[in-house]
Amino acid sequence: MLATLPLLSPRRGALALALLLLWFLPAPARAVDTFETYSQGLTDLELYGFVEGLGAPADERWIGGELVLGVGLVEGLSVYLGIHTGADHHLAAGESGLYFALFGTPVDTDHLDLDLFLEVRTGGALLDAPAFVPRLELTLDAEPDMAAWGGFLRWGVPIFGVVDGQTGARQLGAELELVAGGYYTLPGDHQLFLAYGTPGALRLGANLVLGETLELILETAIAAPVGGEPMSLGVMTGLVAFWE
């Protein structure tokens, strides 16, 4: 599964419908990357396209895209707003989602950063399946400004509604999102990222600097077999424009 979708696995029983909807609630597109707050104002625009499920049966392949806007409120505090849409490879069935998040950096040093997020996602055919996602990201840098190499740990807990398919009973459910990874900075400020996240996806990404205000994002993800499903491959590419 690519960065555009949360790393959650569908389960049987009463949670099946809720988790199926949550599967299509998009997470921020740059999940393999680390997060940085934006410069003040509307200063970040991101556009992504992806294909996932390569190697899986044809009815499990998925294509889609995502648009993200980032706004810096004050130094160290930002918001982002995104829209995600996807469909099967026949374009016969699809899902869309919206998300919004407020995040900030209460700890910002040369070698240690802590980012806190509160994200709201909604998806489903009528955008009527909300989820609230508190999240934190801890980043360790060997050199200031990610100039050399480092590691990061991202932890989140999506909280969502569960409806029992048999009794109609309603309750709250939760899942764990956990991603651990590292990065290496190449000459020219290009960066390579490697990350592993629940329930079993290995991601390799590259941020290539095209100019002072433009980056090309490339990513591939290998999803391990879960629940009897075969191993599959996903690819994603994107453009990130930013300005002061």
Side-chain angles (χ1 to χ4, degrees):
M1 189 61 63
L2 293 181
T4 47
L5 299 177
L7 292 168
L8 305 177
S9 58
R11 296 180 179 176
R12 297 177 180 176
L15 294 181
L17 177 60
L19 290 183
L20 180 61
L21 293 175
L22 185 62
W23 183 263
F24 294 109
L25 298 182
R30 296 177 64 181
V32 75
D33 198 348
T34 58
F35 282 83
E36 301 289 339
T37 53
Y38 309 117
S39 300
Q40 191 168 356
L42 176 57
T43 55
D44 183 86
L45 174 64
E46 307 180 20
L47 181 64
Y48 299 91
F50 69 89
V51 179
E52 59 110 13
L54 299 175
D59 59 356
E60 297 182 15
R61 297 170 192 161
W62 201 256
I63 60 175
E66 186 166 359
L67 176 68
V68 184
L69 298 176
V71 179
L73 301 178
V74 296
E75 184 176 358
L77 185 64
S78 298
V79 298
Y80 56 75
L81 173 67
I83 180 171
H84 162 275
T85 187
D88 63 20
H89 73 297
H90 294 299
L91 302 181
E95 287 283 348
S96 296
L98 300 172
Y99 57 87
F100 169 86
L102 175 70
F103 73 103
T105 309
V107 178
D108 186 3
T109 71
D110 287 344
H111 301 284
L112 174 66
D113 289 347
L114 174 64
D115 296 301
L116 300 179
F117 301 77
L118 180 57
E119 183 174 290
V120 179
R121 308 175 187 170
T122 185
L126 300 176
L127 297 179
D128 56 356
F132 297 90
V133 190
R135 182 188 296 114
L136 65 82
E137 179 183 88
L138 182 67
T139 305
L140 298 175
D141 302 309
E143 299 291 341
D145 300 321
M146 302 179 68
W149 57 271
F152 56 91
L153 178 66
R154 188 175 303 122
W155 178 85
V157 182
I159 302 169
F160 50 92
V162 177
V163 180
D164 191 301
Q166 296 181 342
T167 67
R170 300 172 182 269
Q171 61 183 3
L172 289 178
E175 282 282 337
L176 175 66
E177 292 180 348
L178 183 63
V179 178
Y183 71 87
Y184 182 78
T185 301
L186 302 170
D189 291 333
H190 308 299
Q191 291 180 320
L192 300 177
F193 289 85
L194 180 67
Y196 184 83
T198 54
L202 180 66
R203 303 178 180 184
L204 176 64
N207 292 7
L208 306 178
V209 177
L210 301 182
E212 293 185 0
T213 61
L214 189 65
E215 290 184 0
L216 173 65
I217 310 298
L218 302 173
E219 181 180 334
T220 185
I222 302 174
V226 176
E229 297 181 358
M231 181 177 295
S232 62
L233 177 70
V235 293
M236 184 267 286
T237 185
L239 286 174
V240 177
F242 48 90
W243 52 93
E244 299 293 335

